[in-house]
Amino acid sequence: MNKGKFALFSALEITYWGFHASFIGYASSYLLSRGVSNTMMSLLIAGFLLCAFVGSMFFGRLCDRHQTNKRVFLPCMLASYAMILAIFFFAEYAPVLCVCYPLLGFFFQPQGANADAWVLSAYDHDQKMYGKIRSMPSLFYAVISMVMGRLISRFGYGMMLVGATLFMALALISAVLLADARAISAQQRGMNLRDVRRLFASRPYRRLVLLLLLIGLAIAPINNLKIVVLENVGGNVAHIGVDSFVSALTQVPFIAMAGLLSMISLRRRFAAMALLPLTMILLVRFASSPAMVFAGSFFANVGYGVLLPTMRDVTERFVDEDLRNLGHNLSDAVYNSFSGVISLMCAGAIVDGFGMNAMLTLCVVIAVIPAVLSMKKLDN
């Protein structure tokens, strides 16, 4: 194993998610503290996720067409930093937020899948190596989120910008030092109108995308309005750090075992992906303290620890090589972005108009659907 390459890819993933933990993880709390309403925040997050979905399709296609990850990652991270500066310093100006918050989603969010695809390409699609590298950011995310929550509580939201600046600088250095993605044969580079058909030619990949959409619909309002969920049971901004710590730390052993998880049948992995988030939503729905929310996050992130390696494994196994960047970005976008847009268009308004319990009840109903669907027999 090339230790230098391993260290640089680990640093790339850690600093990308460190940036996320430092700024994006607390952006909702920061903006709400500056007077943004729940409804407005919900719409901003929906805009963020919609643009993230568009960006995932755009940048995934761009990476496949030009056989690069590095030349997309670097400018997108720089653009993301420009967006957070505008959001932080002009938080009271609605037009700035309405432009910059969605653009942050467009530039930043797709780079998580881009970085993962870069790792898989560099290691010839080795799930074991991917698991070792990708589990480390989850561990660091847990620590960074906890520390940031404490720092923000003590010194104020300015610590978000300090942390984001540090991790952005380190991410850029790591990306510059790494070699770009391995090119595939010339005849595989073209993109044409048959790409969508080829992308969805495999039944396992189609089932994966459908499950991701439905699970995402159920959990997006809870994840993206976590500060409101916690305040509803007596929590505060410091509890976001604890919740993020529990969430990220729980993922680590499962992502690290990506190679072993790939040996379990897809049907069983799909069932775990669906049933564990349903458990989380039920716990949050009947929560009476932040501890129950943390317990729910534990179950949800055991599910995510299975979900993420399964997403990558299914894409690597069942999607044509010249479409894999697009396949990785699409699965990420459906789970993290598209489903979130649909959910959050109404989530803030439901909370403001009918209360948190009404929104959580709706999430339970939605979560039952993928739980049932995951039990169906799957033929490759």
Side-chain angles (χ1 to χ4, degrees), residues 84-369:
I84 70 161
L85 290 176
I87 290 167
F88 187 83
F89 289 110
F90 300 97
E92 295 177 355
Y93 296 89
V96 174
L97 293 180
C98 289
V99 172
C100 293
Y101 206 84
L103 283 178
L104 178 61
F106 179 79
F107 288 114
F108 180 78
Q109 200 75 358
Q111 303 319 307
N114 186 6
D116 283 2
W118 195 353
V119 172
L120 286 162
S121 174
Y123 285 98
D124 294 321
H125 320 297
D126 186 336
Q127 289 290 315
K128 184 178 180 180
M129 288 303 301
Y130 168 75
K132 288 181 178 179
I133 291 172
R134 184 57 183 81
S135 63
M136 296 177 71
S138 294
L139 178 60
F140 277 84
Y141 190 97
V143 176
I144 293 165
S145 296
M146 176 70 79
V147 171
M148 286 301 300
R150 299 299 179 185
L151 289 174
I152 290 171
S153 295
R154 184 171 181 180
F155 299 108
Y157 284 103
M159 297 307 299
M160 292 168 58
L161 197 58
V162 174
T165 301
L166 173 63
F167 288 113
M168 175 59 67
L170 294 173
L172 294 174
I173 292 170
S174 300
V176 167
L177 294 176
L178 280 164
D180 207 346
R182 175 177 59 85
I184 58 176
S185 59
Q187 65 266 28
Q188 291 177 303
R189 293 183 184 177
M191 304 290 289
N192 52 57
L193 296 176
R194 294 178 300 170
D195 289 340
V196 174
R197 289 182 183 176
R198 287 197 295 135
L199 187 62
F200 288 101
S202 164
R203 186 174 182 183
Y205 187 77
R206 292 197 304 270
R207 177 72 63 84
L208 170 72
V209 171
L210 179 58
L211 288 174
L212 292 174
L213 173 63
L214 293 168
I215 296 167
L217 282 172
I219 67 174
I222 297 172
N223 287 339
N224 290 304
L225 295 175
K226 186 60 69 74
I227 181 61
V228 184
V229 172
L230 285 166
E231 287 176 347
N232 191 57
V233 292
N236 56 47
V237 66
H239 287 106
I240 294 180
V242 177
D243 184 81
S244 297
F245 180 83
V246 171
S247 298
L249 196 62
T250 302
Q251 300 170 14
V252 173
F254 296 93
I255 296 175
M257 294 188 296
L260 292 175
L261 286 173
S262 66
M263 300 171 65
I264 300 173
S265 70
L266 278 180
R267 186 179 179 185
R268 290 180 179 177
R269 282 184 278 166
F270 284 168
M273 285 165 45
L275 291 171
L276 289 163
L278 174 59
T279 304
M280 178 272 281
I281 297 169
L282 287 168
L283 282 168
V284 174
R285 169 62 181 84
F286 297 104
S288 57
S289 68
M292 289 186 70
V293 177
F294 301 154
S297 294
F298 171 83
F299 284 103
N301 283 277
V302 172
Y304 186 75
V306 176
L307 181 149
L308 180 63
T310 301
M311 286 168 58
R312 301 298 180 234
D313 182 44
V314 170
T315 304
E316 292 292 313
R317 288 170 56 191
F318 297 105
V319 174
D320 291 342
E321 188 173 11
D322 62 316
L323 292 176
R324 282 180 187 158
N325 279 292
L326 181 59
H328 287 304
N329 274 277
L330 176 64
S331 59
D332 270 33
V334 166
Y335 178 71
N336 292 312
S337 305
F338 184 68
S339 59
V341 172
I342 298 172
S343 295
L344 291 171
M345 288 302 292
C346 299
I350 292 173
V351 172
D352 287 340
F354 302 98
M356 180 60 64
N357 286 340
M359 186 196 76
L360 294 174
T361 300
L362 181 59
C363 290
V364 171
V365 173
I366 296 171
V368 170
I369 301 172

Side-chain angles (χ1 to χ4, degrees), residues 42-52 101-103 105-106 341 345:
S42 183
L43 291 174
L44 285 174
I45 296 172
F48 176 99
L49 295 174
L50 178 61
C51 287
Y101 206 84
L103 283 178
F106 179 79
V341 172
M345 288 302 292

